[in-house]
């Protein structure tokens, strides 16, 4: 097997489930348990978004949403998560701290994998994407399962491990190891990913900021 | 084979691609060709929506949308259709004439079939749907291909033939015949469908109007 | 829009539902009604298979199959078709008259679209396919709905109209028109398709016959 | 949330990737690394198969297969696994030690999730399945990702933890914890699952052995 580069072909950055509720202290216990340092990890995604904006790497912001009558939760309330991400709640929106711009792409999903019941693959085909670079609110749920679905659809998949955080440290570590099992070199640092985005931009015109 | 009723199990009404642009005269040639009487046909859907609202039959409004940079058109511009349904254009929104209400369901799609790249099946499972009743802007495109995908997923599918209109009369007729080929009794009139919705409501509490 | 060639990028030939039962007179009424000249049309596919074999165009043979206990028929018996294609019946196999070879590809399906519940898209990605060339037992069912699903997945789709036959002449014609609506130039003759396969082969080594 | 039973509604047993190669010592290093005790774990699945046969619980045997020209491996060779499960190799077949019978169901897959590119969901709808009971060759790959896909499709999912084995003990444990995160009570013992199958059979006629 040939050694793989951090970016093979054309990259796309996926920013998954980093939503307003991550940045709001509403004085109530969260519906979803997270590991220590959660907010530091996901906040660092902003650095990568900035470089992607500069380098012209397409960004897809994905948010989880559920309808107010709970009709679309499926089995999601049978486990560790309580009611979450009701779409009429402003805290469910894409996190402003990530600087989403009108020229970026936006997808709402109702399950863990960003591919499940969404138009993500339509968009990725339109963009000609080859490599998916993932940052995510929960490493071991939406991050892991989006990676698997991207992998099964033949994309090169990378996870920026400084920018993701799990439901527990143990679950976070286990998910990163599972991704590395699927694709050697999947785990990447924020610094090397930023460098790769910049090098990628060197080969073509830098997109104007939105 | 047992004879099938117009409604088997639990019904859901799908109102497909009846959008504001159908009701606006913008003085420019349409991006999509339609048969004579198009607007009369799709407008009649409102009668069915009213009965569904009264009878507590869930309604899913579906609209076609495309991003302003055309990234998601795929092969849709290789045939008879020109650029259409740009999502930032107010004329792309659900038609107000159909009386969509906050308690109804809404799905945006980027392809012809309402199942393709959308959360429709998630929603239908949540609703416990068994029978899909279709009305549609283009009988032979979004109507036909949504019927086929519903059929392939084991739903009982019905098309209300007074309420749909095609890209031409010939294409409209051909699509209705193709649906009837797949499920005997698929083609239904507005009057018998209204009666079936009312009879269905008789068996359980009438939902309060939204 | 740029004018499209008969073959854009890399072609793959799909031979759909041309099965042994098409070539056997079992003295019983067929489970599925077909148009006059049915066998002449589908038999002509062999010419295209021969050229594809010579020219190194990958061929995917697809057959419809159902389990003997009928568990997977879904709604397929609610319409015009009777029980068909039981997988334990030798007449359900790929038609020998089409000269399928071990180096060709084979996919069994349980619904009309070749994409539905099969690994066709996995295979097409592996082959790097861009253009799907279709021949088919029923123009208006498996042919039409496979075309639509290929179209929705952004493939260039072509139908070889001398080599397909429908459930009736009217349904056959209607389906061909519907395909042409989706992609201008979709309808192609056997002669021009053979010529295109040969020209395509000119650009690269001719594959050894299997 | 209501407390869930081990079997909700109608159960189906999925026996995933327990193939002849698990039971053959071919004197060569395996293409896929496994945890200590691997064969003991997967072999125990036979006890559950026997009870399912007696109790009339439908069994679906799933095997992973790849074509001899490797066209369908996608990204599967970019990670920890070497070439595996070539479909023309007799060792790729369903393990005879599991007593597969003609009245059971059989599905071949090319990716990790049993739902990906297969007709599994068609079959499950036909069977009216509500609860999926999983045993599997690799807990953390095909087991975990099939569980996730079943979960996302609203099935109740259970994993029989005595009967599954992972690529390492750590990965095995992590995957079981991830499944329990998704559905409380997902992890079940062989003994309680056998008892549940027997109790389920009590409510309806015992199927004749195939």
């Amino acid at each position: 097997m040939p050694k793989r580069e951090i970016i093979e072909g054309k990259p796309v950055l996926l920013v998954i489930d980093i939503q307003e509720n991550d940045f709001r202290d509403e004085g109530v216990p969260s519906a979803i348990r997270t590991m220590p340092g959660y907010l530091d990890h996901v906040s660092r995604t902003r650095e990568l978004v900035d470089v992607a904006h500069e380098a012209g790497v397409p960004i897809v912001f994905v948010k989880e949403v559920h309808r107010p009558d709970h009709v679309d939760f499926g089995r999601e309330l049978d486990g560790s998560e309580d009611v979450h991400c009701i779409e009429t709640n402003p805290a469910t929106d894409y996190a402003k701290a990530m600087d989403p711009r009108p020229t970026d792409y936006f997808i709402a999903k109702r399950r863990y994998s960003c591919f499940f019941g969404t138009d993500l693959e339509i968009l990725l085909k339109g963009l000609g994407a080859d490599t998916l670079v993932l940052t995510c609110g929960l490493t071991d749920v939406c991050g892991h399962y989006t990676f698997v679905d991207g992998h099964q659809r033949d994309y090169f998949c990378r996870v920026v491990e400084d920018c993701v955080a799990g439901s527990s440290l143990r679950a976070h570590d286990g998910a990163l190891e599972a991704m590395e099992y699927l694709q050697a070199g999947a785990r990447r640092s924020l610094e090397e990913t930023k460098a790769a985005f910049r090098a990628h931009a060197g080969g073509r015109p830098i997109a104007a900021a939105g």
Side-chain angles (χ1 to χ4, degrees), chain A residues 23-77:
Chain A
F23 296 87
R24 298 187 182 190
D25 179 5
E26 304 194 335
V28 291
S30 170
I32 299 179
R33 184 185 68 208
T34 57
M35 79 183 209
Y38 175 85
L39 194 56
D40 287 347
H41 273 242
V42 301
S43 295
R44 244 173 255 147
T45 292
R46 172 63 187 271
E47 290 184 47
L48 196 56
V49 167
D50 287 347
V51 176
H53 275 145
E54 286 163 28
V57 173
I59 307 176
V60 184
F61 289 95
V62 183
K63 65 175 174 183
E64 181 153 337
V65 295
H66 293 289
R67 292 187 177 82
D69 64 359
H70 299 191
V71 71
D72 53 27
F73 270 110
R75 301 263 72 77
E76 284 198 15
L77 306 179

Side-chain angles (χ1 to χ4, degrees), chain A residues 116-178:
Chain A
F116 196 91
T118 74
D119 64 325
L120 179 59
E121 193 158 23
I122 294 173
L123 176 59
L124 294 177
K125 284 181 179 175
L127 291 168
D130 300 294
T131 297
L132 308 184
V133 177
L134 273 66
T135 73
C136 186
L138 282 192
T139 321
D140 49 309
V141 187
C142 298
H144 189 178
Y145 303 142
T146 297
F147 186 108
V148 170
D149 265 359
H151 175 78
Q152 294 191 130
R153 282 165 177 78
D154 303 358
Y155 292 102
F156 299 96
C157 298
R158 309 290 177 242
V159 56
V160 188
E161 54 187 10
D162 320 57
C163 298
V164 295
S167 63
S168 71
L169 188 55
R170 181 176 165 85
H172 168 80
D173 285 340
L176 291 174
E177 289 164 19

